[in-house]
Amino acid sequence: MSQRIQFSQHGGPEVLEQIETQIPAPAAGEVRVRNHAIGLNFIDTYFRSGLYAPPSLPSGLGTEGAGVIEALGEGVDQWQIGDRVAYATGPLGAYAEHHVLPAQHLVKLPEAISFEQAAAVMLKGLTTQYLLRQVYPLQAGETILFHAAAGGVGSIACQWAKALGAKLIGVVGSEEKAERAKALGAWETIDRTREDVVQRVLELTDGQKCPVVYDSVGKSSWEISLDCVAPRGLLVSFGNASGAVTGVNLGVLAQKGSLFVTRPILAGYADTAPRLQAMAAELFEMIESGRIKVEIGQRFALGEAAEAQRLLAEGRTTGSTILLP
């Protein structure tokens, strides 16, 4: 038998329940991974709350984990039983002792990176890779703005931007988080609870603003972000922590300087196995070289998933949070 977390209705963390099921068998083209560690991410709360709709209810939760291949479906010849693997895309259901997913969503995990490190960094690290290396290929010397710079993705972005020679201005929600972002490599920080973000960006950039702004907060920061983008610059909206951005007026983009806006997701960039492998290889190289350090701020047992999500939603976590089956 196998333990898994599921939900039968949308709502708060309390709708999550731990159940016992038969160990799933992989179909053709699939593999079964025995998870050693599972990643917790803000997007998981979107599926639970109903902001994003799962295929059906009841539904499993989570798309990120790391472990060992336990069984292969028909036609899977690129993997072997016993291989160390990690994943960040594919069907919901990673909050479980065993997870079955299509083989193309797996990446080989180097021996130098632990299961816990991989589960803590795969989704956030691959997200950072496509944000800084694909959506807007960041160049040395550029000054950028990154919201939630002390959060899961932000903490990796601070390190990656510094490694690229870029100057990252991190927007944070407290003095403590400002110190954390600076320690991770942010060039400067702005505490949105006591500073005017737009005014500080103007001061820090000598009135030039930023060629790219990365915003995972969403609704409450949308207008602020637009006012921080330089003419003909890009606003990358990649999250909804404060709610979804709605009612976008395209005319505003013209008024504020012929701006560009994009709403990317990881699946749109890691959309083939070769692209996923290349992204993961770059991420793993950054970790193995020491330019990115993986910080696991919290560890919870699988059955404590509801509490872990509650703390994440309340902004009471630092670094990455993982579940241990």
Side-chain angles (χ1 to χ4, degrees), residues 44-301:
D44 303 341
T45 70
Y46 299 162
F47 283 104
R48 187 209 69 222
S49 69
L51 179 63
Y52 293 170
S56 62
L57 292 176
S59 173
L61 196 57
T63 61
E64 179 183 44
V68 174
I69 292 179
E70 226 180 38
L72 304 173
E74 182 182 353
V76 176
D77 54 13
Q78 69 270 46
W79 297 105
Q80 297 181 356
I81 292 174
D83 281 348
R84 300 175 78 251
V85 294
Y87 57 90
T89 60
L92 297 175
Y95 284 23
E97 289 182 324
H98 301 87
H99 187 37
V100 170
L101 68 165
Q104 68 263 27
H105 292 290
L106 296 175
V107 298
K108 188 170 182 60
L109 185 61
E111 290 290 340
I113 298 176
S114 71
F115 294 119
E116 291 194 3
Q117 285 178 309
V121 80
M122 276 293 288
L123 185 60
K124 302 173 187 69
L126 292 177
T127 297
T128 304
Q129 196 280 341
Y130 83 74
L131 289 174
L132 302 189
R133 304 286 287 143
Q134 297 188 69
V135 174
Y136 184 94
L138 197 55
Q139 302 299 313
E142 290 185 305
T143 301
I144 67 172
L145 186 70
F146 208 103
H147 287 270
V153 175
S155 63
I156 298 172
C158 286
Q159 299 177 72
W160 208 318
K162 183 178 181 181
L164 292 171
K167 297 190 290 187
L168 183 147
I169 303 171
V171 182
V172 297
S174 69
E175 185 177 345
E176 179 185 11
K177 290 186 175 181
E179 292 175 358
R180 170 176 162 73
K182 288 291 287 289
L184 289 166
W187 173 62
E188 290 288 353
T189 58
I190 302 172
D191 185 345
R192 57 177 170 75
T193 65
R194 59 184 183 84
E195 296 180 281
D196 184 309
V197 175
V198 177
Q199 184 59 40
R200 282 291 290 143
V201 166
L202 288 170
E203 293 170 0
L204 291 168
T205 62
D206 294 325
Q208 299 302 301
K209 302 185 181 180
C210 299
V212 60
V213 172
Y214 297 97
D215 188 342
S216 62
V217 177
K219 184 177 180 179
S220 67
S221 59
W222 172 254
E223 294 289 344
I224 293 171
S225 291
L226 286 174
D227 285 333
C228 294
V229 183
R232 299 175 301 283
L234 175 65
L235 171 53
V236 184
S237 177
F238 69 100
N240 311 288
S242 68
V245 176
T246 59
V248 176
N249 180 355
L250 292 180
V252 172
L253 302 181
Q255 297 166 14
K256 293 184 181 294
S258 297
L259 307 183
F260 294 85
V261 173
T262 185
R263 179 58 175 91
I265 58 172
L266 175 58
Y269 283 82
D271 57 340
T272 67
R275 288 195 186 99
L276 173 61
Q277 296 292 339
M279 292 168 66
E282 184 173 9
L283 171 62
F284 292 153
E285 192 278 327
M286 292 290 287
I287 296 170
E288 290 182 271
S289 69
R291 287 175 287 178
I292 288 179
K293 292 181 169 55
V294 181
E295 180 188 359
I296 301 172
Q298 299 77 213
R299 292 173 173 83
F300 291 89

